[in-house]
Amino acid sequence: MSQEFNITVLPGDGIGPEVIREAVKILRIVEAKKNLKLHLTEAPAGGAAYDATGHPLPEATLNTAKEADAVLLGAVGGPKWETLDFALRPERALLGLRSNLGLFANLRPAKIFAPLVEASTLKPDVVEGLDIMVVRELTGGIYFGEPRGVETLADGSRRGINTLVYTDSEIERIAKVAFDVARKRGKNVCSVDKANVLECTGLWREVVTQTHEDYQDITLSHMYVDNCAMQLVRNPKQFDVIVTTNMFGDILSDQASMLTGSIGMLPSASLGGKNAMYEPIHGSAPDIAGKDIANPLAAILSVGMMFKYSLNLEDISVVLEKVVDEVLKQGYRTGDILSKGMKEVGCIAMGDRVAEELEKRLS
Ligand SMILES: NC(=O)c1ccc[n+]([C@@H]2O[C@H](COP(=O)([O-])OP(=O)(O)OC[C@H]3O[C@@H](n4cnc5c(N)ncnc54)[C@H](O)[C@@H]3O)[C@@H](O)[C@H]2O)c1
């Protein structure tokens, strides 16, 4: 009997629909080759949803996401919606999905593909073989803390407020995810905080250290976020798993992504709830949207993570990484990872190349 899965597909804005179309090609190939039944339900999210319904995360979209086994998201946002009230901005859809689905753990691998070593801005010997997993807390911290907002004071001046909040249970559960992930990798966790300045992250350090008592096979170290930003550029291969807060993780994982050549290469998985959400880490890239030049590999590799964490087909995620490596070895490149002597292809053609290689490997 074939395995059945419900997948909610949220293409979103900008290049979101372009890269998701290529990722869906991959889902369909695996469905056919592995005799699965994938029920794909597409729904609007972000700016597209605001235009259609007046809200970036309509009730109907949230409900289909809640019922799905997995959610695949492109990207949301763009200049068209930048003047909207914060509560209606496309990015609120992301926060709404993460918090409503209980997705507190964001896994962001930064792994370099050998053919792209030259595409990194760092020297080849610094990045060759790089394989870091950033585990970012996703539903707490300063992005959600109250009070927040901008207020006008009695003298007419204005004051902006955001609040960094973490409870010990929120810290403990993300630390456990990081230690569990490390157990299947290099058994090394670096917890990143700013415990010398922020009391909240002092608690973070304390709770991560306590949680580590149950994971004595894992080596734990602590690092301040400013040092981590520096070490990621100086000697990134010292890291295996980095666990950190929502905002620090947002910034550090983007930095780690550039070590691998392009933000267009990096997938992510958000776990912790009944189901999980998968998305490339890049945004909607309005500067290149609609031109068929976006790199679809981050979205395609996100589907790889979906097979691993939600669809019980870890072998497919391994095969997909091999296929991407092979296509890069053959010299195919989208503009963001293009180097001298390589063959430039668009988003659709890159998706087709991966699809063809995958079909060959799965036959
Ligand atoms: N998860 C998300 O949906 C998400 C994440 C980040 C930003 N955003 C939103 O996206 C919009 C643009 O944000 P930004 O410019 O800061 O970040 P971005 O990631 O969209 O783009 C940053 C740069 O990287 C390039 N880039 C991104 N993805 C690429 C790809 N797949 N292939 C080739 N090049 C790629 C872009 O062209 C741009 O030059 C904003 O509205 C922002 O709020 C959404």
Side-chain angles (χ1 to χ4, degrees), residues 15 19 73-78 82 91 94 98 262-264 279-288 293-295 336:
I15 62 168
V19 296
L73 177 104
V76 297
E82 266 166 18
E91 293 76 3
L94 289 178
R98 290 166 186 168
S262 170
I263 201 167
E279 53 180 313
I281 78 159
H282 59 73
S284 59
D287 52 334
I288 58 166
I293 56 174
N295 185 344
D336 56 313

Side-chain angles (χ1 to χ4, degrees), residues 7 26 43 77 115 120-121 158 197 216 234 248 298:
I7 300 171
I26 302 305
S120 172
T121 47
R158 290 189 303 158
V197 178
Q216 288 303 305
R234 196 185 70 86
F248 293 164

Side-chain angles (χ1 to χ4, degrees), residues 68-290:
D69 295 300
V71 179
L72 177 65
L73 177 104
V76 297
K80 185 176 170 195
W81 303 284
E82 266 166 18
T83 51
L84 287 175
D85 188 74
F86 263 100
L88 294 175
R89 292 228 189 135
E91 293 76 3
R92 295 306 294 183
L94 289 178
L95 302 185
L97 281 162
R98 290 166 186 168
S99 57
N100 279 290
L101 299 180
L103 307 176
F104 66 84
N106 187 214
L107 271 49
R108 295 181 162 205
K111 186 172 176 177
I112 196 148
F113 286 89
L116 287 187
V117 163
E118 298 292 336
S120 172
T121 47
L122 297 191
K123 292 190 188 112
D125 62 306
V126 177
V127 291
E128 205 159 22
L130 181 82
D131 183 2
I132 300 175
M133 177 70 85
V134 179
V135 178
R136 169 188 169 197
E137 200 291 326
L138 203 57
T139 52
I142 198 163
Y143 290 177
F144 289 92
E146 299 282 346
R148 62 187 300 149
V150 179
E151 61 186 20
T152 304
L153 303 177
D155 66 359
S157 63
R158 290 189 303 158
R159 184 166 67 165
I161 307 164
N162 287 96
T163 309
L164 176 62
V165 191
Y166 273 114
T167 61
D168 47 9
S169 60
E170 284 176 315
I171 301 166
E172 187 185 339
R173 66 184 185 179
I174 192 74
K176 282 183 174 166
V177 171
F179 292 131
D180 286 336
V181 166
R183 203 165 253 169
K184 293 187 186 156
R185 295 174 41 101
K187 295 191 166 43
N188 220 306
V189 171
C190 178
S191 172
V192 174
D193 59 44
K194 189 71 183 167
N196 50 342
V197 178
L198 302 169
E199 287 83 351
C200 180
T201 68
L203 177 68
W204 176 281
R205 187 175 284 218
E206 209 182 299
V207 176
V208 171
T209 305
Q210 275 163 11
T211 311
H212 178 239
E213 285 170 13
D214 293 334
Y215 292 87
Q216 288 303 305
D217 53 324
I218 311 291
T219 305
L220 171 68
S221 59
H222 300 275
M223 198 178 270
Y224 296 135
V225 63
D226 41 347
N227 185 23
C228 183
M230 195 250 287
Q231 296 296 337
L232 270 174
V233 180
R234 196 185 70 86
N235 175 20
K237 281 191 271 185
Q238 71 184 279
F239 296 109
D240 173 27
V241 174
I242 292 175
V243 61
T244 191
T245 65
N246 201 342
M247 183 164 75
F248 293 164
D250 194 5
I251 298 165
L252 292 176
S253 59
D254 267 25
Q255 186 186 351
S257 76
M258 266 324 288
L259 305 176
T260 70
S262 170
I263 201 167
M265 292 297 301
L266 294 185
S268 78
S270 301
L271 315 174
K274 177 176 125 318
N275 59 13
M277 185 160 81
Y278 300 86
E279 53 180 313
I281 78 159
H282 59 73
S284 59
D287 52 334
I288 58 166

